[in-house]
Amino acid sequence: MGIQPGKFWDSSQPQYIWEHKVIIVGLDNAGKTTILYQFLMNEVVHTSPTIGSNVEEIVVKNTHFLMWDIGGQDSLRSSWNTYYTNTEFIILVVDSTDRERLSVTKEELYRMLAHEDLRNAAVLIFANKQDKKRCMSAAEISKYLTLSSIKDHQWHIQACCALTGEGAEDGGAEWLL
Ligand SMILES: Nc1nc2c(ncn2[C@@H]2O[C@H](COP(=O)(O)OP(=O)(O)OP(=O)(O)O)[C@@H](O)[C@H]2O)c(=O)[nH]1
Ligand SMILES: [Mg+2]
């Protein structure tokens, strides 16, 4: 019997472990890569705009996630769909100060939710950069994105600050469990 997608062999405790596939999406500069490494190391890393993707295995309370952090620049968004197969969770990161581009985020969100390969995926929205002055609250972002109209996917919105990690693992990642 071969290894099925989503399972990997743990040589320290010989057994197959189920791994949940997560994609981290959102516009450029939203804080996706910062969140990924905050999850992985509880540290802020210096980031550059992601070209392509980063992938890391993150373990939260013994649950294994394979997290794909995908570059959010305009030119890269058309290839997000190449990452969708077998995705269980979408993490959508929003820069809560970026009022001008919230409409673009909204378009991208609803495009993803309509995609056949994501029909069973749940969505966690991070209202990131809550440390910044005049940022939008999670409630404002939720209203603008009309999240309450989403009936065919599970969703949750969480305010966070990737620089301190506040809201990321406690309120956010725990929702994935
Ligand atoms: N003040 C503040 N800055 C943040 C926060 N999260 C990320 N940043 C900063 O925002 C900038 C962009 O962060 P990245 O994590 O590289 O953004 P990204 O979403 O991965 O961007 P792309 O790879 O281009 O799609 C960096 O300078 C981060 O330090 C936050 O919560 N608060
Ligand atoms: Mg990045």
Side-chain angles (χ1 to χ4, degrees), residues 28-34 47 49-50 72 128-129 131-132 161-163:
D28 46 294
N29 199 48
K32 300 177 294 296
T33 304
T34 311
T47 61
T50 305
N128 190 33
K129 306 198 184 182
D131 57 304
K132 287 191 136 184
C161 171
L163 293 189

Side-chain angles (χ1 to χ4, degrees), residues 32-33 48-50 54 69-71:
K32 300 177 294 296
T33 304
S48 317
T50 305
N54 301 298
D69 155 38
I70 310 173

Side-chain angles (χ1 to χ4, degrees), residues 27-32 35 92-102 105 125-142 144-145 157-162 166:
L27 305 188
D28 46 294
N29 199 48
K32 300 177 294 296
I35 286 182
L92 173 65
V93 182
V94 180
D95 175 344
S96 305
T97 65
D98 193 357
R99 288 182 160 76
E100 294 73 31
R101 296 198 301 166
L102 200 50
T105 296
I125 298 119
F126 277 125
N128 190 33
K129 306 198 184 182
Q130 288 292 315
D131 57 304
K132 287 191 136 184
K133 278 193 190 136
R134 288 184 286 281
C135 66
M136 293 174 283
S137 68
E140 281 176 89
I141 292 172
S142 177
Y144 189 89
L145 297 178
I157 186 163
Q158 174 67 44
C160 79
C161 171
E166 204 176 334

